[in-house]
């Protein structure tokens, strides 16, 4: 029996030692795998952060370009608005000139008619002679 107890103890110690080795190997593999996982996650995160940073710079650049174009558009719109206002003023002035010319024409016709009346009242014979001269 004593040999059997010693065999059992030796088998137990051997199995315990093998179990410790297996456990230690599994622990080392787990640590290595966790390290690899952390490296992979860190690399992936760094890549994504780099991409986000590049996108942010591109968006900022496009935003500046857009702001510049908006400013150009504002200036262009202001120029066009000024030109349209000037054109409207010119049209109003043309309307005023036309109205003025019509008023002057009416006044001149009135003056001419008045002068004819005055002339005919001062020289009634000239009117009869002029009418007779026209018929010959």
């Amino acid at each position: 029996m004593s040999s059997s107890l010693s065999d059992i103890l030796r088998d137990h110690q051997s199995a315990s030692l093998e179990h410790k080795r297996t456990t230690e190997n599994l622990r080392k593999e787990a640590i290595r795998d966790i390290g690899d996982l952390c490296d992979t996650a860190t690399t992936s995160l760094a890549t994504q952060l780099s991409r986000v940073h590049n996108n942010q710079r591109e968006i900022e650049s496009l935003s500046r370009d857009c702001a510049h174009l908006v400013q150009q558009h504002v200036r262009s719109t202001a120029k066009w608005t000024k030109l349209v206002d000037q054109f409207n003023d010119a049209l109003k002035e043309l309307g005023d000139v036309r109205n003025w010319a019509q008023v002057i024409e009416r006044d001149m016709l009135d003056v001419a008619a008045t002068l004819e009346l005055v002339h005919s009242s001062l020289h009634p014979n000239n009117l009869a002679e002029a009418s007779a001269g026209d018929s010959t």
Side-chain angles (χ1 to χ4, degrees):
M1 183 150 185
S2 119
S3 77
S4 129
L5 263 170
S6 352
D7 287 340
I8 292 174
L9 181 61
R10 206 173 337 141
D11 287 345
H12 172 69
Q13 287 175 341
S14 174
S16 179
L17 184 61
E18 183 62 31
H19 179 67
K20 282 183 184 179
R21 283 185 199 143
T22 303
T23 303
E24 183 63 26
N25 286 339
L26 289 174
R27 187 181 71 77
K28 287 179 182 178
E29 282 182 33
I31 289 172
R32 186 181 64 240
D33 289 346
I34 289 172
D36 290 346
L37 177 65
C38 287
D39 289 344
T40 302
T42 302
T43 302
S44 175
L45 183 61
T47 302
Q48 290 174 5
L49 285 174
S50 175
R51 204 174 307 141
V52 166
H53 182 65
N54 289 339
N55 287 345
Q56 180 183 1
R57 281 195 316 232
E58 186 175 345
I59 288 170
E60 288 172 353
S61 174
L62 291 173
S63 176
R64 283 189 300 272
D65 293 346
C66 184
H68 178 70
L69 290 174
V70 166
Q71 288 300 321
Q72 284 180 339
H73 181 67
V74 165
R75 285 191 295 271
S76 176
T77 302
K79 287 179 184 177
W80 278 103
T81 302
K82 184 178 177 182
L83 286 172
V84 168
D85 288 343
Q86 289 173 347
F87 182 71
N88 282 338
D89 290 342
L91 286 177
K92 287 177 186 175
E93 288 175 11
L94 285 176
D96 291 345
V97 167
R98 182 176 179 206
N99 185 38
W100 174 80
Q102 289 172 347
V103 168
I104 294 294
E105 182 181 12
R106 263 194 322 266
D107 288 348
M108 296 311 273
L109 289 174
D110 289 343
V111 168
T114 304
L115 287 174
E116 285 180 20
L117 283 174
V118 168
H119 183 57
S120 66
S121 67
L122 291 176
H123 305 291
N125 294 338
N126 287 348
L127 186 58
E129 291 174 5
S131 295
D134 288 340
S135 60
T136 54

PDB file of all heavy atoms in Angstrom, residues 6-36:
ATOM      1  N   SER A   6       2.540   6.262  -2.497  1.00  0.00           N
ATOM      2  CA  SER A   6       3.599   7.043  -3.098  1.00  0.00           C
ATOM      3  C   SER A   6       3.369   7.240  -4.586  1.00  0.00           C
ATOM      4  O   SER A   6       3.648   8.323  -5.118  1.00  0.00           O
ATOM      5  CB  SER A   6       4.904   6.413  -2.948  1.00  0.00           C
ATOM      6  OG  SER A   6       5.614   5.693  -2.588  1.00  0.00           O
ATOM      7  N   ASP A   7       2.820   6.239  -5.219  1.00  0.00           N
ATOM      8  CA  ASP A   7       2.515   6.384  -6.655  1.00  0.00           C
ATOM      9  C   ASP A   7       1.405   7.431  -6.848  1.00  0.00           C
ATOM     10  O   ASP A   7       1.463   8.269  -7.765  1.00  0.00           O
ATOM     11  CB  ASP A   7       2.070   5.052  -7.243  1.00  0.00           C
ATOM     12  CG  ASP A   7       3.211   4.058  -7.398  1.00  0.00           C
ATOM     13  OD1 ASP A   7       4.378   4.530  -7.411  1.00  0.00           O
ATOM     14  OD2 ASP A   7       2.930   2.874  -7.526  1.00  0.00           O
ATOM     15  N   ILE A   8       0.447   7.366  -5.979  1.00  0.00           N
ATOM     16  CA  ILE A   8      -0.659   8.312  -6.077  1.00  0.00           C
ATOM     17  C   ILE A   8      -0.135   9.727  -5.819  1.00  0.00           C
ATOM     18  O   ILE A   8      -0.475  10.676  -6.541  1.00  0.00           O
ATOM     19  CB  ILE A   8      -1.781   7.954  -5.078  1.00  0.00           C
ATOM     20  CG1 ILE A   8      -2.448   6.655  -5.494  1.00  0.00           C
ATOM     21  CG2 ILE A   8      -2.805   9.066  -4.979  1.00  0.00           C
ATOM     22  CD1 ILE A   8      -3.480   6.137  -4.508  1.00  0.00           C
ATOM     23  N   LEU A   9       0.726   9.878  -4.812  1.00  0.00           N
ATOM     24  CA  LEU A   9       1.293  11.195  -4.512  1.00  0.00           C
ATOM     25  C   LEU A   9       2.137  11.695  -5.674  1.00  0.00           C
ATOM     26  O   LEU A   9       2.042  12.856  -6.076  1.00  0.00           O
ATOM     27  CB  LEU A   9       2.128  11.123  -3.220  1.00  0.00           C
ATOM     28  CG  LEU A   9       2.759  12.423  -2.770  1.00  0.00           C
ATOM     29  CD1 LEU A   9       1.710  13.488  -2.483  1.00  0.00           C
ATOM     30  CD2 LEU A   9       3.620  12.191  -1.542  1.00  0.00           C
ATOM     31  N   ARG A  10       2.950  10.807  -6.211  1.00  0.00           N
ATOM     32  CA  ARG A  10       3.784  11.183  -7.357  1.00  0.00           C
ATOM     33  C   ARG A  10       2.908  11.531  -8.561  1.00  0.00           C
ATOM     34  O   ARG A  10       3.148  12.531  -9.243  1.00  0.00           O
ATOM     35  CB  ARG A  10       4.706  10.011  -7.701  1.00  0.00           C
ATOM     36  CG  ARG A  10       5.966  10.438  -8.376  1.00  0.00           C
ATOM     37  CD  ARG A  10       6.934   9.295  -8.563  1.00  0.00           C
ATOM     38  NE  ARG A  10       6.646   8.245  -7.605  1.00  0.00           N
ATOM     39  CZ  ARG A  10       6.695   6.940  -7.807  1.00  0.00           C
ATOM     40  NH1 ARG A  10       7.101   6.476  -8.933  1.00  0.00           N
ATOM     41  NH2 ARG A  10       6.382   6.072  -6.899  1.00  0.00           N
ATOM     42  N   ASP A  11       1.883  10.740  -8.808  1.00  0.00           N
ATOM     43  CA  ASP A  11       0.973  11.018  -9.931  1.00  0.00           C
ATOM     44  C   ASP A  11       0.263  12.357  -9.711  1.00  0.00           C
ATOM     45  O   ASP A  11       0.106  13.155 -10.641  1.00  0.00           O
ATOM     46  CB  ASP A  11      -0.055   9.896 -10.068  1.00  0.00           C
ATOM     47  CG  ASP A  11       0.532   8.610 -10.633  1.00  0.00           C
ATOM     48  OD1 ASP A  11       1.663   8.687 -11.180  1.00  0.00           O
ATOM     49  OD2 ASP A  11      -0.127   7.574 -10.525  1.00  0.00           O
ATOM     50  N   HIS A  12      -0.107  12.568  -8.438  1.00  0.00           N
ATOM     51  CA  HIS A  12      -0.791  13.821  -8.129  1.00  0.00           C
ATOM     52  C   HIS A  12       0.154  15.015  -8.317  1.00  0.00           C
ATOM     53  O   HIS A  12      -0.229  16.034  -8.901  1.00  0.00           O
ATOM     54  CB  HIS A  12      -1.320  13.792  -6.683  1.00  0.00           C
ATOM     55  CG  HIS A  12      -1.856  15.108  -6.234  1.00  0.00           C
ATOM     56  ND1 HIS A  12      -3.018  15.658  -6.734  1.00  0.00           N
ATOM     57  CD2 HIS A  12      -1.373  16.027  -5.340  1.00  0.00           C
ATOM     58  CE1 HIS A  12      -3.221  16.837  -6.178  1.00  0.00           C
ATOM     59  NE2 HIS A  12      -2.225  17.070  -5.300  1.00  0.00           N
ATOM     60  N   GLN A  13       1.375  14.874  -7.843  1.00  0.00           N
ATOM     61  CA  GLN A  13       2.357  15.949  -7.986  1.00  0.00           C
ATOM     62  C   GLN A  13       2.681  16.174  -9.461  1.00  0.00           C
ATOM     63  O   GLN A  13       2.823  17.316  -9.921  1.00  0.00           O
ATOM     64  CB  GLN A  13       3.623  15.629  -7.187  1.00  0.00           C
ATOM     65  CG  GLN A  13       3.429  15.775  -5.702  1.00  0.00           C
ATOM     66  CD  GLN A  13       4.661  15.333  -4.911  1.00  0.00           C
ATOM     67  OE1 GLN A  13       5.518  14.603  -5.435  1.00  0.00           O
ATOM     68  NE2 GLN A  13       4.706  15.751  -3.650  1.00  0.00           N
ATOM     69  N   SER A  14       2.792  15.093 -10.189  1.00  0.00           N
ATOM     70  CA  SER A  14       3.066  15.200 -11.622  1.00  0.00           C
ATOM     71  C   SER A  14       1.897  15.878 -12.337  1.00  0.00           C
ATOM     72  O   SER A  14       2.081  16.772 -13.174  1.00  0.00           O
ATOM     73  CB  SER A  14       3.323  13.809 -12.192  1.00  0.00           C
ATOM     74  OG  SER A  14       3.448  13.863 -13.577  1.00  0.00           O
ATOM     75  N   ALA A  15       0.672  15.486 -12.009  1.00  0.00           N
ATOM     76  CA  ALA A  15      -0.519  16.078 -12.627  1.00  0.00           C
ATOM     77  C   ALA A  15      -0.639  17.536 -12.213  1.00  0.00           C
ATOM     78  O   ALA A  15      -0.992  18.418 -13.025  1.00  0.00           O
ATOM     79  CB  ALA A  15      -1.765  15.296 -12.227  1.00  0.00           C
ATOM     80  N   SER A  16      -0.321  17.820 -10.941  1.00  0.00           N
ATOM     81  CA  SER A  16      -0.386  19.194 -10.455  1.00  0.00           C
ATOM     82  C   SER A  16       0.642  20.059 -11.174  1.00  0.00           C
ATOM     83  O   SER A  16       0.356  21.202 -11.574  1.00  0.00           O
ATOM     84  CB  SER A  16      -0.144  19.193  -8.941  1.00  0.00           C
ATOM     85  OG  SER A  16      -0.176  20.490  -8.444  1.00  0.00           O
ATOM     86  N   LEU A  17       1.846  19.505 -11.336  1.00  0.00           N
ATOM     87  CA  LEU A  17       2.888  20.245 -12.055  1.00  0.00           C
ATOM     88  C   LEU A  17       2.487  20.468 -13.508  1.00  0.00           C
ATOM     89  O   LEU A  17       2.653  21.569 -14.050  1.00  0.00           O
ATOM     90  CB  LEU A  17       4.215  19.476 -11.964  1.00  0.00           C
ATOM     91  CG  LEU A  17       5.434  20.155 -12.571  1.00  0.00           C
ATOM     92  CD1 LEU A  17       5.724  21.477 -11.876  1.00  0.00           C
ATOM     93  CD2 LEU A  17       6.639  19.239 -12.469  1.00  0.00           C
ATOM     94  N   GLU A  18       1.938  19.458 -14.136  1.00  0.00           N
ATOM     95  CA  GLU A  18       1.474  19.594 -15.540  1.00  0.00           C
ATOM     96  C   GLU A  18       0.356  20.624 -15.619  1.00  0.00           C
ATOM     97  O   GLU A  18       0.315  21.441 -16.535  1.00  0.00           O
ATOM     98  CB  GLU A  18       1.004  18.227 -16.057  1.00  0.00           C
ATOM     99  CG  GLU A  18       0.568  18.233 -17.497  1.00  0.00           C
ATOM    100  CD  GLU A  18       1.697  18.605 -18.463  1.00  0.00           C
ATOM    101  OE1 GLU A  18       2.880  18.325 -18.198  1.00  0.00           O
ATOM    102  OE2 GLU A  18       1.376  19.219 -19.506  1.00  0.00           O
ATOM    103  N   HIS A  19      -0.539  20.605 -14.653  1.00  0.00           N
ATOM    104  CA  HIS A  19      -1.654  21.562 -14.621  1.00  0.00           C
ATOM    105  C   HIS A  19      -1.105  22.981 -14.463  1.00  0.00           C
ATOM    106  O   HIS A  19      -1.582  23.919 -15.129  1.00  0.00           O
ATOM    107  CB  HIS A  19      -2.603  21.201 -13.467  1.00  0.00           C
ATOM    108  CG  HIS A  19      -3.752  22.139 -13.340  1.00  0.00           C
ATOM    109  ND1 HIS A  19      -4.756  22.241 -14.281  1.00  0.00           N
ATOM    110  CD2 HIS A  19      -4.063  23.065 -12.386  1.00  0.00           C
ATOM    111  CE1 HIS A  19      -5.613  23.157 -13.920  1.00  0.00           C
ATOM    112  NE2 HIS A  19      -5.220  23.674 -12.740  1.00  0.00           N
ATOM    113  N   LYS A  20      -0.091  23.166 -13.587  1.00  0.00           N
ATOM    114  CA  LYS A  20       0.532  24.478 -13.405  1.00  0.00           C
ATOM    115  C   LYS A  20       1.192  24.943 -14.696  1.00  0.00           C
ATOM    116  O   LYS A  20       1.077  26.117 -15.078  1.00  0.00           O
ATOM    117  CB  LYS A  20       1.570  24.433 -12.279  1.00  0.00           C
ATOM    118  CG  LYS A  20       0.978  24.467 -10.912  1.00  0.00           C
ATOM    119  CD  LYS A  20       2.090  24.483  -9.866  1.00  0.00           C
ATOM    120  CE  LYS A  20       1.507  24.427  -8.463  1.00  0.00           C
ATOM    121  NZ  LYS A  20       2.542  24.417  -7.437  1.00  0.00           N
ATOM    122  N   ARG A  21       1.873  24.023 -15.381  1.00  0.00           N
ATOM    123  CA  ARG A  21       2.520  24.385 -16.662  1.00  0.00           C
ATOM    124  C   ARG A  21       1.465  24.773 -17.693  1.00  0.00           C
ATOM    125  O   ARG A  21       1.614  25.774 -18.407  1.00  0.00           O
ATOM    126  CB  ARG A  21       3.341  23.210 -17.191  1.00  0.00           C
ATOM    127  CG  ARG A  21       4.633  23.018 -16.505  1.00  0.00           C
ATOM    128  CD  ARG A  21       5.432  21.904 -17.179  1.00  0.00           C
ATOM    129  NE  ARG A  21       6.446  21.420 -16.284  1.00  0.00           N
ATOM    130  CZ  ARG A  21       6.842  20.167 -16.168  1.00  0.00           C
ATOM    131  NH1 ARG A  21       6.289  19.242 -16.919  1.00  0.00           N
ATOM    132  NH2 ARG A  21       7.786  19.823 -15.330  1.00  0.00           N
ATOM    133  N   THR A  22       0.429  23.996 -17.779  1.00  0.00           N
ATOM    134  CA  THR A  22      -0.642  24.286 -18.739  1.00  0.00           C
ATOM    135  C   THR A  22      -1.293  25.627 -18.407  1.00  0.00           C
ATOM    136  O   THR A  22      -1.532  26.453 -19.294  1.00  0.00           O
ATOM    137  CB  THR A  22      -1.695  23.162 -18.726  1.00  0.00           C
ATOM    138  OG1 THR A  22      -1.063  21.916 -19.006  1.00  0.00           O
ATOM    139  CG2 THR A  22      -2.783  23.421 -19.733  1.00  0.00           C
ATOM    140  N   THR A  23      -1.568  25.824 -17.111  1.00  0.00           N
ATOM    141  CA  THR A  23      -2.173  27.083 -16.681  1.00  0.00           C
ATOM    142  C   THR A  23      -1.248  28.260 -16.987  1.00  0.00           C
ATOM    143  O   THR A  23      -1.695  29.308 -17.468  1.00  0.00           O
ATOM    144  CB  THR A  23      -2.490  27.036 -15.167  1.00  0.00           C
ATOM    145  OG1 THR A  23      -3.346  25.923 -14.904  1.00  0.00           O
ATOM    146  CG2 THR A  23      -3.155  28.308 -14.710  1.00  0.00           C
ATOM    147  N   GLU A  24       0.044  28.087 -16.733  1.00  0.00           N
ATOM    148  CA  GLU A  24       1.022  29.159 -17.011  1.00  0.00           C
ATOM    149  C   GLU A  24       1.092  29.440 -18.514  1.00  0.00           C
ATOM    150  O   GLU A  24       1.125  30.600 -18.934  1.00  0.00           O
ATOM    151  CB  GLU A  24       2.391  28.763 -16.457  1.00  0.00           C
ATOM    152  CG  GLU A  24       3.463  29.813 -16.627  1.00  0.00           C
ATOM    153  CD  GLU A  24       3.171  31.110 -15.876  1.00  0.00           C
ATOM    154  OE1 GLU A  24       2.448  31.108 -14.872  1.00  0.00           O
ATOM    155  OE2 GLU A  24       3.666  32.164 -16.335  1.00  0.00           O
ATOM    156  N   ASN A  25       1.098  28.368 -19.321  1.00  0.00           N
ATOM    157  CA  ASN A  25       1.114  28.553 -20.793  1.00  0.00           C
ATOM    158  C   ASN A  25      -0.154  29.266 -21.257  1.00  0.00           C
ATOM    159  O   ASN A  25      -0.096  30.169 -22.105  1.00  0.00           O
ATOM    160  CB  ASN A  25       1.273  27.222 -21.507  1.00  0.00           C
ATOM    161  CG  ASN A  25       2.675  26.671 -21.422  1.00  0.00           C
ATOM    162  OD1 ASN A  25       3.625  27.419 -21.185  1.00  0.00           O
ATOM    163  ND2 ASN A  25       2.832  25.358 -21.604  1.00  0.00           N
ATOM    164  N   LEU A  26      -1.301  28.861 -20.723  1.00  0.00           N
ATOM    165  CA  LEU A  26      -2.567  29.508 -21.100  1.00  0.00           C
ATOM    166  C   LEU A  26      -2.571  30.980 -20.661  1.00  0.00           C
ATOM    167  O   LEU A  26      -3.055  31.860 -21.376  1.00  0.00           O
ATOM    168  CB  LEU A  26      -3.754  28.765 -20.486  1.00  0.00           C
ATOM    169  CG  LEU A  26      -4.068  27.396 -21.091  1.00  0.00           C
ATOM    170  CD1 LEU A  26      -5.169  26.699 -20.292  1.00  0.00           C
ATOM    171  CD2 LEU A  26      -4.476  27.525 -22.550  1.00  0.00           C
ATOM    172  N   ARG A  27      -2.024  31.251 -19.452  1.00  0.00           N
ATOM    173  CA  ARG A  27      -1.931  32.636 -18.967  1.00  0.00           C
ATOM    174  C   ARG A  27      -1.052  33.465 -19.895  1.00  0.00           C
ATOM    175  O   ARG A  27      -1.403  34.584 -20.267  1.00  0.00           O
ATOM    176  CB  ARG A  27      -1.390  32.642 -17.538  1.00  0.00           C
ATOM    177  CG  ARG A  27      -1.405  34.020 -16.884  1.00  0.00           C
ATOM    178  CD  ARG A  27      -0.835  34.003 -15.483  1.00  0.00           C
ATOM    179  NE  ARG A  27       0.606  33.800 -15.464  1.00  0.00           N
ATOM    180  CZ  ARG A  27       1.518  34.736 -15.741  1.00  0.00           C
ATOM    181  NH1 ARG A  27       1.136  35.949 -16.059  1.00  0.00           N
ATOM    182  NH2 ARG A  27       2.804  34.483 -15.703  1.00  0.00           N
ATOM    183  N   LYS A  28       0.095  32.907 -20.304  1.00  0.00           N
ATOM    184  CA  LYS A  28       0.997  33.625 -21.214  1.00  0.00           C
ATOM    185  C   LYS A  28       0.325  33.863 -22.562  1.00  0.00           C
ATOM    186  O   LYS A  28       0.443  34.953 -23.138  1.00  0.00           O
ATOM    187  CB  LYS A  28       2.293  32.843 -21.395  1.00  0.00           C
ATOM    188  CG  LYS A  28       3.206  32.886 -20.204  1.00  0.00           C
ATOM    189  CD  LYS A  28       4.458  32.074 -20.441  1.00  0.00           C
ATOM    190  CE  LYS A  28       5.359  32.077 -19.210  1.00  0.00           C
ATOM    191  NZ  LYS A  28       6.552  31.264 -19.403  1.00  0.00           N
ATOM    192  N   GLU A  29      -0.387  32.862 -23.085  1.00  0.00           N
ATOM    193  CA  GLU A  29      -1.102  33.015 -24.360  1.00  0.00           C
ATOM    194  C   GLU A  29      -2.181  34.092 -24.225  1.00  0.00           C
ATOM    195  O   GLU A  29      -2.362  34.911 -25.130  1.00  0.00           O
ATOM    196  CB  GLU A  29      -1.739  31.687 -24.777  1.00  0.00           C
ATOM    197  CG  GLU A  29      -0.780  30.693 -25.369  1.00  0.00           C
ATOM    198  CD  GLU A  29      -1.502  29.416 -25.809  1.00  0.00           C
ATOM    199  OE1 GLU A  29      -2.679  29.506 -26.241  1.00  0.00           O
ATOM    200  OE2 GLU A  29      -0.874  28.353 -25.725  1.00  0.00           O
ATOM    201  N   ALA A  30      -2.895  34.072 -23.089  1.00  0.00           N
ATOM    202  CA  ALA A  30      -3.951  35.063 -22.874  1.00  0.00           C
ATOM    203  C   ALA A  30      -3.356  36.468 -22.821  1.00  0.00           C
ATOM    204  O   ALA A  30      -3.892  37.406 -23.423  1.00  0.00           O
ATOM    205  CB  ALA A  30      -4.724  34.753 -21.592  1.00  0.00           C
ATOM    206  N   ILE A  31      -2.228  36.609 -22.110  1.00  0.00           N
ATOM    207  CA  ILE A  31      -1.568  37.926 -22.031  1.00  0.00           C
ATOM    208  C   ILE A  31      -1.108  38.368 -23.414  1.00  0.00           C
ATOM    209  O   ILE A  31      -1.294  39.525 -23.808  1.00  0.00           O
ATOM    210  CB  ILE A  31      -0.396  37.874 -21.025  1.00  0.00           C
ATOM    211  CG1 ILE A  31      -0.943  37.762 -19.588  1.00  0.00           C
ATOM    212  CG2 ILE A  31       0.483  39.105 -21.158  1.00  0.00           C
ATOM    213  CD1 ILE A  31       0.135  37.518 -18.539  1.00  0.00           C
ATOM    214  N   ARG A  32      -0.532  37.441 -24.184  1.00  0.00           N
ATOM    215  CA  ARG A  32      -0.074  37.768 -25.536  1.00  0.00           C
ATOM    216  C   ARG A  32      -1.267  38.141 -26.426  1.00  0.00           C
ATOM    217  O   ARG A  32      -1.226  39.128 -27.162  1.00  0.00           O
ATOM    218  CB  ARG A  32       0.694  36.587 -26.136  1.00  0.00           C
ATOM    219  CG  ARG A  32       1.327  36.922 -27.476  1.00  0.00           C
ATOM    220  CD  ARG A  32       2.072  35.745 -28.084  1.00  0.00           C
ATOM    221  NE  ARG A  32       1.140  34.662 -28.387  1.00  0.00           N
ATOM    222  CZ  ARG A  32       1.207  33.423 -27.865  1.00  0.00           C
ATOM    223  NH1 ARG A  32       2.173  33.110 -27.042  1.00  0.00           N
ATOM    224  NH2 ARG A  32       0.313  32.519 -28.185  1.00  0.00           N
ATOM    225  N   ASP A  33      -2.347  37.359 -26.336  1.00  0.00           N
ATOM    226  CA  ASP A  33      -3.540  37.634 -27.146  1.00  0.00           C
ATOM    227  C   ASP A  33      -4.172  38.972 -26.757  1.00  0.00           C
ATOM    228  O   ASP A  33      -4.613  39.739 -27.620  1.00  0.00           O
ATOM    229  CB  ASP A  33      -4.561  36.511 -26.999  1.00  0.00           C
ATOM    230  CG  ASP A  33      -4.121  35.221 -27.690  1.00  0.00           C
ATOM    231  OD1 ASP A  33      -3.167  35.281 -28.503  1.00  0.00           O
ATOM    232  OD2 ASP A  33      -4.714  34.166 -27.403  1.00  0.00           O
ATOM    233  N   ILE A  34      -4.202  39.270 -25.456  1.00  0.00           N
ATOM    234  CA  ILE A  34      -4.737  40.559 -25.006  1.00  0.00           C
ATOM    235  C   ILE A  34      -3.850  41.696 -25.512  1.00  0.00           C
ATOM    236  O   ILE A  34      -4.347  42.735 -25.958  1.00  0.00           O
ATOM    237  CB  ILE A  34      -4.878  40.593 -23.464  1.00  0.00           C
ATOM    238  CG1 ILE A  34      -6.025  39.680 -23.041  1.00  0.00           C
ATOM    239  CG2 ILE A  34      -5.119  42.006 -22.974  1.00  0.00           C
ATOM    240  CD1 ILE A  34      -6.145  39.490 -21.541  1.00  0.00           C
ATOM    241  N   GLY A  35      -2.533  41.502 -25.489  1.00  0.00           N
ATOM    242  CA  GLY A  35      -1.614  42.506 -26.028  1.00  0.00           C
ATOM    243  C   GLY A  35      -1.843  42.722 -27.519  1.00  0.00           C
ATOM    244  O   GLY A  35      -1.877  43.860 -27.994  1.00  0.00           O
ATOM    245  N   ASP A  36      -2.006  41.605 -28.254  1.00  0.00           N
ATOM    246  CA  ASP A  36      -2.285  41.715 -29.695  1.00  0.00           C
ATOM    247  C   ASP A  36      -3.609  42.441 -29.937  1.00  0.00           C
ATOM    248  O   ASP A  36      -3.707  43.284 -30.831  1.00  0.00           O
ATOM    249  CB  ASP A  36      -2.333  40.328 -30.341  1.00  0.00           C
ATOM    250  CG  ASP A  36      -0.973  39.652 -30.406  1.00  0.00           C
ATOM    251  OD1 ASP A  36       0.050  40.347 -30.201  1.00  0.00           O
ATOM    252  OD2 ASP A  36      -0.936  38.421 -30.659  1.00  0.00           O
TER     253      ASP A  36
END
